[in-house]
Every structure is written in structure tokens, then in C-alpha cells.
Amino acid sequence: MSNRFEPRTADDLRALVQEQPLAWIVSGEPGAQHATPLPVQLVCDADGTPRTLLGHFARRNPQVAALAANSRATVLLIGPHGYISPSWVSDRTWGPTWNYASAMFDVDLQFCDTRADADRLLSGLVKQMETNRPAAWQPQEMGARYEKLVTGIIGFEAKILAVRSCFKLGQDERDEVFADILRALDIKDQASLTKWMRRFGESRPAQALAPSQPPPRALDPEIKRFIDNVIAKGRELTAGRDLSWPERREICELTRAPWTKGGPVIADTRNIVAETKAGPVRLRIYDPSPGHSKPTFVFMHGGGWSLFSVNTHDRVMREFAHRGGMAVVGVDYDLSPEVRYPTALNQVIAVVHWLHEQGRAHGLDGERIALGGDSAGGNLSMGAALRLRDAGHPNLVKAVLSIYGGSTPDCSPASRQRYGTEQDMLTANEVDTFWDNYIGHLGDRRDPYVATAYAPLQGLPPVFLVIAECDILAEQNLHMAGRLLEAGVQVQAKVYPGAPHSFIEAVAVSRVANEAVDDGVAFLRSVLLRERGARVHVA
């Protein structure tokens, strides 16, 4: 096989086994062969050299006795693969092919027949398969059933004697053909094969990769100053360390701290704990004019339901309170993955009820409440408005201000490629991680109160969508604007040129961020103060 189809590095083979671990274990002489499909784990040396395959058989499998007599076997693994049709490419003289990744291991297999071996091999396989999954499962959750399972298996360690692998992923195609294939695979939603083709396409010239259509727009220079500073400071503080989620939150607080300084001083700012139907919820209240009746804007910070706090968004909330002449209540909801959906949403809804019933005692108008927030906060705002509507309380919330909020875990291939790269403020991988953190069960990924793109939207209060042009979530927000209009909801939507995800946090230095705050304030006042304003506007 040509060298162009070999793995580029040892990580390619390791990743192939981790992502596609089901392999055929083949042993015996021709005419008397045994073959069993089993998931395997690959163990490599520090330099990445494959050394051992781990796995387990069912004890009653007749191949166990055959391997005990003759320990030589071949392990055959096929990874992502797919037929590539000539109809996808502009050159009709090009012939069909099949792209795939595969590996074949010659091994000497030895059984490991102790309880400790069985526990070790099973836990290792579960860890390999469950890592990064929402609500990752652990073997001890089986309880008594685990004992029956573990006694019915026998583990093995297979010393690798030779490896032959093939990564035929379009390396031999012309640039324009390679680009055509990637576009077609995206359309056909063959994400695994597309991912591996792009992985190997990294070594091709830049023009070989399918370009974004249209190309990404350059970031607004004032916002870029904020983005570059936050990213650089974060990398400096992490220095490549593998951080826990509490440690990541500490880093976020440190990187955002300089950007929360300055700005308006609010007459009365206080932290309280509201005793709600969802339990105690931490709130920060900004009251620009104590003793005077004013609307209440309930703000949920972003951070993928996993990061940030009322501290990271202190400057943003002060700006809304000062410019709008309204009370702002920041909700410091519980974060994922320690808690999962619907805990944070329940807390937001409970805060709305608490404000309606007890807000007056804290100088807050519980009759004129708006919900809003950025990113995950925008999602929580829409979800809470939907839940309140369906629970028979459609009038408790008068308006929703969603600032580049997420509405579905599913980002299109085009949006991921255009504004979800590792150089962007919010990457496609981060979107996946945040949703996996927040969603505890796969079935909840289509729950309309969290994946609001799938919800019926009729009967919602007026909505303003702040859309960052250079954001992986821009596509979702534009789609949501259309659905709201279709549902007869009073909606405004505005796209901010050159703005990436998180741009509202750059309010200290960015004219675009200040424009978005002013627009949000104007919307909230027009609804909450019943000032005359445009009924429907999409810009």
C-alpha cells in the first residue's frame, strides 16, 4: 500500500481504536477458524508505539478454548468508511471509490482470569466509551447485576506482534475533488468520515479544503482586542494543564476581571439568597434608583451553563441598569456538569415567581419582568418563557432579550467550519462539550424547553435577538428569528457586523457592544414602559 495511506502519527491509530473499538478477533487454521466481534482497547508506549490490545470474551464462547490451545490471532478493525459517488464531483470522468480507515493487528493473546483483571478491563472499556458523554455511566450503577456480568467473562491481553493500517481518506484526490467530496459528506451528514478526511486533509495545501461560503468576516478590531486578551490570558494561566471545571471557572474569573472594572456606579447593589420553590438561589440586585417603582430585568449570564458568574458579567448588568433606569437581577444559577438540566431552568422560573410574589419587599416591580442573558443565558430566558407559557402563566414575563443564545445542540457543518474553529471565541468542540455537560439524558436533546429551536413559539412575549455575525450560533439565531415571525410573535432581530460570540462582554472598549446594550435597553423600555415602538423589525 502506498505510503500516502499510512497514519501520519501514532495518535491516528490510537484515535481510530478509541472511536471505533469494535473489531473481529480471528484465530485458528483455515477451515477451522473462529471469529468474534469484540470491543478492544489499545495500549501504547509513551512514544505512541502500539503494544497491547485489551478486551474480554464471554466464558462460554468456544473461541476461548481454541485460543488457550493456540494463542496467535489477528484483530481486524474497520473505522469510518463510506462510498464516494462520482455524482458528487464536478469532474464526471472521475470514478467511484470507497474511503475508509482500517487496522490489522497480529497478536499473541493471553487470558487474564482473576476478578481484579475483569474489573480492570471492564472499567477501562467503560471509561473509554463513556468519557465526554452526557451523564457518563459507571459500572457500579449496575448494582447486583454487575456480579453476574463479571463472573461470565474472561479478560485478555494481546501482545501486538505487527500492525498494518490504512487511512484511505482522499489523500490521492485532486484539490477540487477533495473539496467536492467534503461538501457532499456534510450534506449527507456523514460526520465521522468527514471528520477523519478533514483530519488527514490538514496535511494538504490550504486550497484543498472546502472553503466556507462566504468566507469568514474579520472581527471588529475593538472587540478583537478583548477577545485576544482573554484568550491569551487564559492560555497563560492554564499553560496546557488539564483543569477541572471548578479550576476552569477560577481562570474565567481572572481573565474577565479587568474587563468588569469601570463603568457606571449603581446606587444600590446587593447580594441576597432568595428562598424559592426550587430552593435557595443566589441573586445580585442592581437598583439604580431605590424607592422608585421601575421594571425588573432578570439577567442570566452565559458560559455554556458550566462557566462564569454574576462577577464575570457585573459590568454588563450595571450598564443595563444604568442606561435603562431599571432594576437588574443577576441570577447566579447552579452550574453543570455538577448539576444538569433542568436544574438551572427550574431556578430561573422559580426566581420569576419569587419576584412576582415578593419583589416589592425588595424594591422590585414584580409586575413588569423581562428575562434575558447571553449565550446559555439567552437559552435559559427562552426556555423559561416557554415553560411559564405552558404552565398557564404567559403574562409573568413581558419581554425576552436573548443575546446570541443557543437553541439547539446541532450546529450545521457550514457554521462549524466558518465560525467554530479553534481560532474562534466559541469553538464547535466547546459547543458540544457544553451541551454534553448540561444535558443529562440523550432524550433531553430534543426537549423543547432546552432545545428551543424545536418548540412551538406561539404566545411568547416580545423578543429581541442580538445576533453576533461572526458566531457559530448566528445561524441558529437567524433561524429562530424566522420561526418567531412565523409564529406571530413580536420580534426584533439585529445582526452586529464583525461581532463574535461573547462580544457583549467587551462593552468597556467596543462601540459595537455598546450599540447592542443600547438597542437592548431601547427594546426593554419600549415593552416594559409601554412606549411606542416598531412592532416587527428584522435588520
Side-chain angles (χ1 to χ4, degrees), residues 34-68:
H34 295 272
T36 303
L38 292 173
V40 294
Q41 305 163 64
L42 177 62
V43 178
C44 298
D45 287 345
D47 63 359
T49 303
R51 289 303 181 195
T52 309
L53 287 171
L54 308 178
H56 62 272
F57 282 92
R59 287 187 179 277
R60 61 178 180 273
N61 189 327
Q63 193 171 6
V64 171
L67 282 166

Side-chain angles (χ1 to χ4, degrees), residues 426-449:
L426 177 64
T427 71
N429 288 334
E430 286 174 327
V431 171
D432 295 339
T433 297
F434 289 144
W435 279 94
D436 286 346
N437 274 357
Y438 187 47
I439 300 297
H441 301 282
L442 290 177
D444 288 341
R445 294 177 79 86
R446 290 296 183 273
D447 186 318
Y449 302 123

